[in-house]
Amino acid sequence: MRYFAQRFGFFILSLWAAITINFLLPRFMPGNPAEVMITRYQGRLNPLVLHSLELQFGISHQPLWQQYVTYVQNMIHGQFGLSITYYPVPVISVIENSLPWTLGLAGTATVVSSILGVLLGIFAAWKRGGMADTLLPVVTTFTSAIPYQWLALLLLYIFGFSLGWFPTAHSYSATLSPSLHPAFIGNVLDHAILPATTMIVTALGGWLLGMRNNMIHTLGEDYVVFAEAKGVTQKRLKYMYAARNAMLPSLTGFGMALGFVVGGSVLVESVFSYPGIGYQLVTAVQNEDYPLMQGLFLIIAVSVLLANFIVEMLYGKLDPRVKKGGAGRS
């Protein structure tokens, strides 16, 4: 209980810090969204409407503490203002439309790459010194060193433009309407193959190497040697004794990776014009869309903090030593 209280308190403190920083940053920047829109439509938009635009964007000239209270109240109700890029669409609507695509693409790619990488890492460590242990780390290290955008452009050129096997942009064809029809679902999967492959290939090496190194270290522990001497079956020794304990650091990495899923893969989504959170973030920066940037940054920060908190709870459940260590330090 004490361990949970400590972690929950740290989560609340970190969440408050993220919310506060997200509130302060746009206010330290020169100008505001209303002035950006006035400048963008200079000569076509009457400057007298500046006050009206400020009201629409939630811009206030009240004291900073009153603005902060209003900001928190609006945030609780999901009111992040209007997007400049998609004016007059609310920021929350842009996020709601983009988030499912990012969760589907980046979430699936993260789960597949982590599971595949961990299994390959276990296999390579168990066969250490063999052909698999020699080739797999080298190949995956090379693929992980390839920049996201370079691999995305390469796959796009070969399989999209040259061979024409897969679509080159967007999440589904413009001729289709979103539905649960098999044709639409198949079209969505077809559009997701290239960006998902890019993310899986570039992330696989990290999972494999991390698990392999942890597994090799665990195989040398006394309890594993003792279990092997007692005649424990190779399968049980491999998965229940070695892999289970070696997987704990990977669990932490997996939780953090899931947290960053909400942020999407900015470069990959930009290359494929995939309408996820990462693509919207680039669009917001290019258009100086402060309300949209603020909403996206907050969603990403909260997701990372929440994922980290959940992983710490799971870690404490799987490894009681963490709770004892935390209690001892307090």
Side-chain angles (χ1 to χ4, degrees):
M1 190 64 184
R2 191 174 185 178
Y3 175 80
F4 172 80
Q6 288 177 338
R7 297 309 177 205
F8 185 73
F10 180 76
F11 168 73
I12 294 299
L13 181 63
S14 301
L15 182 61
W16 171 79
I19 292 173
T20 303
I21 293 173
N22 200 49
F23 164 79
L24 292 175
L25 282 179
R27 286 160 177 80
F28 288 153
M29 299 175 68
N32 60 51
E35 294 176 354
V36 170
M37 181 160 283
I38 289 288
T39 303
R40 179 176 298 176
Y41 294 97
Q42 189 173 10
R44 290 176 291 167
L45 196 61
N46 192 334
L48 296 177
V49 304
L50 177 61
H51 180 65
S52 176
L53 286 174
E54 288 181 340
L55 293 177
Q56 292 185 54
F57 286 117
I59 300 169
S60 172
H61 298 285
Q62 295 177 329
L64 196 62
W65 70 268
Q66 292 183 356
Q67 294 184 42
Y68 183 73
V69 172
T70 303
Y71 164 77
V72 173
Q73 291 175 344
N74 291 336
M75 183 197 66
I76 293 174
H77 293 88
Q79 299 175 2
F80 298 102
L82 303 179
S83 169
I84 297 177
T85 306
Y86 304 100
Y87 182 84
V89 178
V91 168
I92 190 65
S93 298
V94 178
I95 295 176
E96 288 175 349
N97 292 330
S98 304
L99 189 57
W101 295 110
T102 290
L103 292 178
L105 175 64
T108 301
T110 299
V111 171
V112 171
S113 62
S114 60
I115 293 177
L116 186 58
V118 165
L119 291 177
L120 290 175
I122 294 173
F123 179 74
W126 191 255
K127 302 289 186 181
R128 57 190 182 280
M131 183 68 71
D133 188 36
T134 302
L135 292 179
L136 285 176
V138 174
V139 173
T140 54
T141 299
F142 172 76
T143 57
S144 297
I146 302 175
Y148 275 98
Q149 70 274 20
W150 190 87
L151 181 60
L153 290 170
L154 183 64
L155 294 179
L156 187 64
Y157 176 77
I158 295 175
F159 299 104
F161 291 104
S162 298
L163 299 177
W165 290 357
F166 299 102
T168 58
H170 306 302
S171 56
Y172 60 90
S173 300
T175 56
L176 298 178
S177 298
S179 67
L180 295 178
H181 193 277
F184 176 77
I185 296 176
N187 188 263
V188 169
L189 294 176
D190 199 32
H191 280 74
I193 288 177
L194 289 183
T197 300
T198 302
M199 299 173 71
I200 291 172
V201 169
T202 50
L204 188 62
W207 294 109
L208 186 149
L209 292 174
M211 187 61 192
R212 173 188 174 275
N213 294 337
N214 293 331
M215 183 78 170
I216 290 176
H217 176 75
T218 304
L219 287 172
E221 294 288 344
D222 293 339
Y223 67 89
V224 177
V225 176
F226 180 72
E228 186 176 13
K230 285 183 63 178
V232 174
T233 62
Q234 292 293 296
K235 184 176 181 180
R236 182 175 177 82
L237 184 69
K238 179 180 179 181
Y239 293 106
M240 297 304 296
Y241 283 81
R244 181 180 178 181
N245 291 282
M247 202 178 296
L248 290 176
S250 296
L251 178 63
T252 303
F254 179 70
M256 294 301 295
L258 284 182
F260 284 108
V261 158
V262 177
S265 181
V266 175
L267 296 176
V268 173
E269 289 185 359
S270 298
V271 170
F272 291 97
S273 299
Y274 202 83
I277 295 294
Y279 178 77
Q280 296 297 352
L281 184 58
V282 173
T283 303
V285 172
Q286 290 175 341
N287 291 285
E288 298 181 7
D289 192 341
Y290 299 139
L292 183 55
M293 280 189 282
Q294 193 174 24
L296 293 174
F297 284 142
L298 182 61
I299 294 297
I300 294 171
V302 171
S303 301
V304 173
L305 291 173
L306 185 60
N308 189 47
F309 173 71
I310 293 174
V311 167
E312 286 186 330
M313 293 299 99
L314 292 175
Y315 207 103
K317 188 73 174 177
L318 294 173
D319 190 354
R321 294 174 299 178
V322 176
K323 290 184 180 180
K324 293 180 181 178
R329 289 189 298 270
S330 61

